[in-house]
Amino acid sequence: MIYFTHLSISKSRINEKEEIILSHVRKEGKSWYYAIDLGKDANGKRKIKKKRGFKTEREARKALLEVESQLSKGVFIEPSKILYEEFLHDWIKDKQISVKNSTLETYKGIVNGHIIPSLGKLKLSEITARHIQNLIRDLFLNKTLSDENIQKVYTIIKDSLNSAMKFDLLAQNVCNKVDRPKAQKKEMQVWDIEEVQKFLDTAINDRAYLVFHLALTTGMRQAEILGLRWKNVDLKNGIIYVKEQLERYTHNFTSVKTKSSNRNIAIPDKTIFELKKQRKLINEERLLSGENYTHYDLVCPTSVGTPYLPSNLTKIFRRIIKEAGVKKIRFHDMRHTHATLLLKQNTNPKIVAERLGHSNTRTTLDIYSHLLPNMQKDTAKMFGDMLFSVNSQTN
């Protein structure tokens, strides 16, 4: 049995003509629905929008009033029937013109591996905040991704739904109702002087030795080391010019991460010696390989001139760590080790920030704040010794 419960008449501008629009709320079986006349389409046929599945009359009436309000303001968007996975594929294509290839590959991996399997078969208009919250929760509980990548899942969903709104496929972004997941900060692992020396002594005969040497002596990022070319190395003055990096999934050279990442790094005599030795090795390998050698002018290439694959470099890194018997850390932690050792020897934080390519000293101090208590203690002792040793001599 169908119960007529509500009839409203409102005015709206359709094709610049004023027409009467009818709407109503009714009960059908055990649930409620609303219907509203949206006017005529391009062929002159009337468009009636119906929305079913409301548990109560109040819910249906509230939803209808929202549609009527949007119509009166001229901002109503008819719910899209496009599947979310179809839209995401287009969204990825659009991103090609605004992000780097490495970022694009990250997006693809997250979209295809985690978002589409969970939400892809839903129509854009069917996605709710609850759907998104369930996905975020499941990823967190199942430890499927790191906290940082779960944040990326959230960011991609939010950005893609914003894009759908721009194309008038959605009236609102339901992701705004979901709190951005928090990432638990990973505890920083660094080596002390003894561990650095043990690691380098073990790695010295490995083909990739210079990669690790530069990471520890300059604090450069992995992509910056792999993208370092001889044209940006001044052996005479002992300076490395960090201007570009190598994209993770291609052999393309791109600009460095930020404006502040474009920097000059002074290097010690030992590093100059290792660079000269590396250049000699590369020249020998080019002669031996002949036409099989791929020349990119890289400072740290494989034996045939090609860039190292990060995954292969990680395997080498872990093997040497095991052989050296030192604490297991990530490749990026060698950058942290470099900064930590400098700060512990009371290097001015501004100099450390410049070597790392941080935009300001505050960024550096925020990252390495765990060192501050000990540094304060050492500074207080040095100041006390200086001040009171002078007083004691004069008394």
Side-chain angles (χ1 to χ4, degrees):
M1 183 178 291
I2 299 177
Y3 299 94
F4 177 82
T5 64
H6 170 76
L7 176 65
S8 68
I9 300 178
S10 60
K11 293 183 178 181
S12 126
R13 297 276 179 183
I14 301 178
N15 295 328
E16 298 183 351
K17 293 181 180 179
E18 197 172 72
E19 297 189 6
I20 301 297
I21 294 180
L22 302 178
S23 60
H24 60 254
V25 172
R26 294 177 181 172
K27 189 174 185 181
E28 189 173 44
K30 294 183 178 180
S31 63
W32 296 79
Y33 77 91
Y34 73 74
I36 184 168
D37 183 349
L38 298 179
K40 296 179 181 180
D41 61 19
N43 298 318
K45 186 178 179 180
R46 301 208 73 82
K47 295 189 297 181
I48 307 297
K49 170 181 169 56
K50 287 186 178 181
K51 177 78 172 180
R52 292 183 167 84
F54 297 99
K55 293 181 180 180
T56 65
E57 177 186 1
R58 185 177 179 180
E59 289 179 358
R61 191 183 300 279
K62 182 180 179 181
L64 174 60
L65 289 173
E66 177 64 26
V67 173
E68 289 178 337
S69 174
Q70 291 175 359
L71 281 169
S72 68
K73 295 175 183 177
V75 295
F76 174 73
I77 296 174
E78 194 167 359
S80 173
K81 296 180 181 180
I82 297 174
L83 292 180
Y84 189 32
E85 65 176 339
E86 295 175 9
F87 182 79
L88 278 173
H89 289 314
D90 284 336
W91 180 82
I92 287 288
K93 291 177 182 176
D94 292 340
K95 282 294 177 182
Q96 293 180 77
I97 61 176
S98 60
V99 301
K100 293 180 179 180
N101 286 337
S102 56
T103 303
L104 190 67
E105 291 300 323
T106 299
Y107 286 169
K108 286 180 182 178
I110 290 175
V111 166
N112 295 324
H114 303 282
I115 299 178
I116 286 179
S118 178
L119 307 177
K121 297 303 179 184
L122 293 171
K123 295 175 184 175
L124 273 173
S125 56
E126 294 175 338
I127 299 173
T128 65
R130 186 71 255 175
H131 287 127
I132 299 169
Q133 185 65 62
N134 288 345
L135 171 58
I136 298 298
R137 179 197 63 202
D138 292 344
L139 290 172
F140 179 79
L141 293 177
N142 297 330
K143 303 297 181 183
T144 311
L145 290 172
S146 66
D147 290 355
E148 290 82 1
N149 280 328
I150 292 176
Q151 284 185 329
K152 289 176 184 176
V153 169
Y154 174 86
T155 300
I156 288 172
I157 293 173
K158 187 173 183 178
D159 188 81
S160 62
L161 295 184
N162 276 337
S163 180
M165 286 178 63
K166 291 177 183 177
F167 289 111
D168 292 334
L169 298 175
L170 286 176
Q172 64 171 331
N173 187 342
V174 294
C175 195
N176 290 327
K177 300 177 181 180
V178 180
D179 292 333
R180 185 173 186 264
K182 293 182 179 179
Q184 189 171 1
K185 196 172 182 179
K186 291 182 180 178
E187 186 178 350
M188 189 184 300
Q189 296 289 332
V190 296
W191 286 330
D192 57 26
I193 287 288
E194 184 180 348
E195 288 173 308
V196 169
Q197 291 172 341
K198 284 178 68 175
F199 175 82
L200 290 177
D201 287 344
T202 305
I204 189 67
N205 293 319
D206 193 278
R207 182 65 184 70
Y209 170 74
L210 189 61
V211 175
F212 309 125
H213 180 99
L214 289 175
L216 288 164
T217 58
T218 68
M220 292 169 67
R221 301 176 179 90
Q222 184 182 94
E224 293 170 345
I225 295 171
L226 297 184
L228 180 62
R229 293 194 269 188
W230 288 107
K231 68 177 184 177
N232 292 321
V233 176
D234 183 350
L235 291 176
K236 182 179 179 181
N237 295 304
I239 298 174
I240 287 176
Y241 302 98
V242 183
K243 296 182 177 181
E244 54 191 355
Q245 60 186 6
L246 201 68
E247 282 191 327
R248 186 178 182 86
Y249 298 98
T250 71
H251 290 171
N252 296 330
F253 294 92
T254 62
S255 58
V256 286
K257 192 175 180 182
T258 62
K259 184 179 179 180
S260 56
S261 294
N262 194 321
R263 62 201 189 276
N264 304 337
I265 302 176
I267 53 177
D269 291 340
K270 173 63 175 174
T271 301
I272 295 174
F273 171 78
E274 293 297 339
L275 283 165
K276 289 179 178 179
K277 190 168 73 171
Q278 176 81 347
R279 188 166 60 179
K280 181 180 178 182
L281 173 64
I282 289 173
N283 289 335
E284 292 172 353
E285 289 173 341
R286 286 185 66 183
L287 288 174
L288 287 173
S289 300
E291 294 181 356
N292 295 324
Y293 193 91
T294 306
H295 184 53
Y296 286 102
D297 191 39
L298 293 174
V299 172
C300 298
T302 64
S303 59
V304 291
T306 55
Y308 279 101
L309 293 175
S311 57
N312 289 343
L313 205 56
T314 299
K315 291 176 184 177
I316 297 169
F317 182 53
R318 289 174 178 171
R319 172 177 55 77
I320 297 173
I321 284 177
K322 188 174 181 180
E323 291 173 2
V326 294
K327 180 168 65 256
K328 185 177 179 181
I329 65 173
R330 302 169 304 161
F331 188 100
H332 193 72
D333 287 327
M334 288 193 286
R335 174 175 164 84
H336 294 317
T337 297
H338 176 75
T340 300
L341 293 177
L342 287 176
L343 290 170
K344 280 186 175 180
Q345 69 177 26
N346 296 316
T347 302
N348 190 314
K350 188 176 187 304
I351 300 298
V352 179
E354 290 174 354
R355 290 180 71 83
L356 296 179
H358 290 163
S359 56
N360 55 61
T361 305
R362 182 173 181 177
T363 301
T364 309
L365 293 178
D366 283 346
I367 294 173
Y368 304 104
S369 58
H370 63 287
L371 298 175
L372 294 180
N374 289 335
M375 289 171 63
Q376 290 270 22
K377 188 176 180 180
D378 293 342
T379 301
K381 185 179 184 305
M382 289 171 60
F383 183 79
D385 291 344
M386 174 189 70
L387 181 63
F388 296 111
S389 61
V390 171
N391 289 340
S392 63
Q393 289 173 7
T394 56
N395 289 336

